[in-house]
Amino acid sequence: MPSLVHYPLDPASRLIRLMCAEYGVPLDLEETKPWLREEALLAINPAATLPILFTDNDLPIVGIMATIHAVEDFYTPAAVGGLFPADPRDRAEMWRLVEWALVKLNDEVTRYLIEEKIAKRDQRGATPEPSVLRAAKANLAEHLLYFNWLLASRNWVAGEEMSLADFALAAHFSTLDYLGDIDWSKVPAETRDWYSRIKSRPAFRTLLNDRVVAMQPARGYADLDF
Amino acid sequence: MPSLVHYPLDPASRLIRLMCAEYGVPLDLEETKPWLREEALLAINPAATLPILFTDNDLPIVGIMATIHAVEDFYTPAAVGGLFPADPRDRAEMWRLVEWALVKLNDEVTRYLIEEKIAKRDQRGATPEPSVLRAAKANLAEHLLYFNWLLASRNWVAGEEMSLADFALAAHFSTLDYLGDIDWSKVPAETRDWYSRIKSRPAFRTLLNDRVVAMQPARGYADLDF
């Protein structure tokens, strides 16, 4: 069975867990905290990024770009449609929004919240910096406006069919939701409906059962009717 | 002819120019400064990132992930080997190092130098912040150690064959070199030799002719024997 070195609330790890669940690939999960930069992690990946996938031939596949392509190459089931659209134009739109989630949203929102709310718990005496939390939440509000603008005119984030872009964005949403940083009462209906649809997929179940030690998820995190 | 919206010293734009030159695809170049966030750019790409590729069917392909895949899908010549290795293990190593260059190196080094040395010239009264320049250069020294460690045991960045990882890293090197941020007298022989080999490729010529208004490249930037 392939195994994944991950952190439960790391959005890139969540994206690969979602892809594998969607494709029916069981995963052994091995947890690490990348910010601790433990020797065992650095020996495999000096960048200390996640996820890292070990396939059956035991070679590590390191980082989100490599793992996305490996899962797509090795594990797309022949019987069902994959997460990459067949039309090149739809694929370009998918990659644009995958990059938006993995780079821009991560850079402006998610990584700050993970650093302040989770990684700092492992630094003696460190507490979340309110100005950073405020900036991240203000940035998130801008992102939500854009996603809602997209979802007002399409079924899914990158077009009429569900794609990897939905999973990439949902991976970030699910982390932000766990941390209590999405105020659903203020999220417009289109985005809320989209997240409800993707959260109801069987592939999502594994994420909804995640619990981080000494940090309960926000109310509604695991509810399909949130 | 396909056209590319780019900025001459933007490493992601340079990567696509290198790919297209290597594959024999001529490009119309249209220059923009993404930090000015001009309306014409935002209308195509609200993220204000580069590059943006217009193929013959006139649809914009937006961002580095989408353009890499589009160039590979549309333009890999049948007659020559492409920049993606055939073996999945080699491809995984390629993606790991493409991500290293485009995300980690960009995040820790290149984007700060572009912001401080180039973008700030368009802000009245702004000057480069010495502490940021120092931090970026210290980070670059760490990256160089790692690249040299890789290149001490392999011909090319990701293995025995040249790949997209070499082009991604060389795109960043060439921007850093233009800005005078690589002190070649201190760069170990393996890395210098690697850059010399890739800089000598015909695909590189277009980059070496770039000039930014009121900013001459560092001495040796265009020399193949630097």
Side-chain angles (χ1 to χ4, degrees):
Chain A
M1 188 187 299
S3 70
L4 192 76
V5 181
H6 83 129
Y7 180 73
L9 293 184
D10 170 56
S13 303
R14 292 189 153 222
L15 169 53
I16 297 303
R17 289 165 68 201
L18 285 173
M19 273 186 95
C20 286
E22 184 74 16
Y23 289 170
V25 180
L27 283 177
D28 263 336
L29 294 175
E30 187 185 329
E31 191 172 327
T32 188
K33 294 175 172 180
W35 56 87
L36 297 182
R37 303 178 63 83
E38 286 169 348
E39 256 179 62
L41 174 62
L42 293 178
I44 309 170
N45 180 12
T49 51
L50 296 176
I52 299 166
L53 179 70
F54 287 85
T55 59
D56 294 332
N57 66 18
D58 242 6
L59 277 167
I61 294 166
V62 173
I64 186 62
M65 292 179 80
T67 46
I68 285 173
H69 287 93
V71 170
E72 191 65 20
D73 287 352
F74 298 161
Y75 302 123
T76 319
V80 303
L83 291 163
F84 285 43
D87 185 296
R89 289 170 293 191
D90 295 338
R91 240 175 11 248
E93 183 67 349
M94 174 199 86
W95 282 119
R96 176 176 82 83
L97 291 158
V98 167
E99 185 178 339
W100 189 300
L102 297 184
V103 180
K104 187 176 170 65
L105 179 61
N106 190 57
D107 222 41
E108 295 171 0
V109 180
T110 324
R111 72 169 175 175
Y112 290 115
L113 295 170
I114 289 177
E115 168 67 25
E116 296 298 321
K117 292 188 165 184
I118 306 179
K120 277 196 172 173
R121 301 195 304 159
D122 288 324
Q123 294 168 36
R124 189 193 299 263
T127 51
E129 171 59 45
S131 64
V132 174
L133 297 180
R134 267 197 308 275
K137 290 191 87 157
N139 290 342
L140 176 58
E142 293 295 317
H143 281 270
L144 285 172
L145 284 178
Y146 181 62
F147 301 138
N148 207 67
W149 180 81
L150 285 177
L151 289 163
S153 68
R154 353 174 124 170
N155 259 332
W156 297 94
V157 169
E160 294 313 308
E161 303 293 333
M162 191 186 72
S163 76
L164 189 69
D166 295 285
F167 278 29
L169 188 57
H172 277 266
F173 263 58
S174 68
T175 290
L176 296 170
D177 192 28
Y178 191 104
L179 295 174
D181 286 310
I182 299 186
D183 179 353
W184 289 106
S185 70
K186 291 187 186 157
V187 173
E190 288 84 354
T191 305
R192 200 185 163 106
D193 172 67
W194 163 81
Y195 191 59
S196 172
R197 275 181 285 140
I198 200 155
K199 193 174 174 181
S200 306
R201 293 189 79 78
F204 232 80
R205 273 182 215 142
T206 165
L207 301 191
L208 300 181
N209 292 329
D210 277 349
R211 291 296 177 270
V212 172
V213 175
M215 175 178 266
Q216 284 303 308
R219 202 167 57 88
Y221 169 74
D223 298 346
L224 296 184
D225 181 22
F226 54 97
Chain B
M1 186 187 302
S3 70
L4 192 76
V5 181
H6 82 131
Y7 180 74
L9 293 185
D10 170 57
S13 303
R14 290 189 153 221
L15 170 53
I16 296 303
R17 291 165 68 200
L18 285 172
M19 273 187 95
C20 286
E22 184 75 17
Y23 289 170
V25 180
L27 284 177
D28 265 337
L29 293 176
E30 188 184 329
E31 192 173 326
T32 189
K33 293 175 171 179
W35 55 88
L36 297 182
R37 303 178 63 84
E38 287 169 347
E39 258 180 59
L41 174 62
L42 293 179
I44 309 169
N45 181 12
T49 51
L50 296 177
I52 299 165
L53 178 71
F54 286 86
T55 60
D56 294 332
N57 68 16
D58 243 6
L59 277 167
I61 294 165
V62 173
I64 186 61
M65 292 180 78
T67 47
I68 285 174
H69 287 93
V71 171
E72 191 64 21
D73 287 351
F74 297 162
Y75 301 125
T76 318
V80 304
L83 290 162
F84 285 44
D87 184 295
R89 288 169 295 189
D90 295 339
R91 244 180 3 253
E93 183 67 350
M94 175 199 86
W95 283 120
R96 177 177 81 85
L97 290 157
V98 167
E99 184 178 340
W100 190 297
L102 298 184
V103 180
K104 185 177 171 65
L105 179 61
N106 189 58
D107 220 43
E108 294 172 358
V109 179
T110 323
R111 73 168 176 177
Y112 290 115
L113 295 170
I114 289 177
E115 168 69 23
E116 297 297 322
K117 292 188 166 184
I118 306 180
K120 278 198 172 172
R121 300 195 305 160
D122 288 325
Q123 294 168 36
R124 190 193 298 263
T127 51
E129 171 60 45
S131 65
V132 174
L133 298 180
R134 265 198 307 276
K137 291 190 84 158
N139 290 343
L140 176 58
E142 295 295 318
H143 281 269
L144 285 173
L145 284 178
Y146 180 61
F147 301 138
N148 207 67
W149 178 82
L150 285 178
L151 288 163
S153 68
R154 354 173 124 170
N155 261 330
W156 298 95
V157 170
E160 293 314 306
E161 304 293 334
M162 192 185 72
S163 76
L164 189 71
D166 295 285
F167 278 29
L169 188 57
H172 277 265
F173 264 57
S174 69
T175 290
L176 297 169
D177 192 28
Y178 190 104
L179 296 174
D181 286 310
I182 299 187
D183 179 353
W184 288 106
S185 70
K186 290 187 188 157
V187 173
E190 288 84 355
T191 304
R192 200 185 163 107
D193 172 67
W194 164 81
Y195 191 60
S196 172
R197 275 181 285 142
I198 201 156
K199 194 175 175 179
S200 304
R201 295 188 78 79
F204 232 81
R205 275 183 212 140
T206 166
L207 300 192
L208 301 181
N209 292 328
D210 278 348
R211 291 295 177 273
V212 173
V213 174
M215 178 178 263
Q216 285 302 305
R219 202 166 58 87
Y221 169 74
D223 298 346
L224 296 184
D225 181 21
F226 54 98

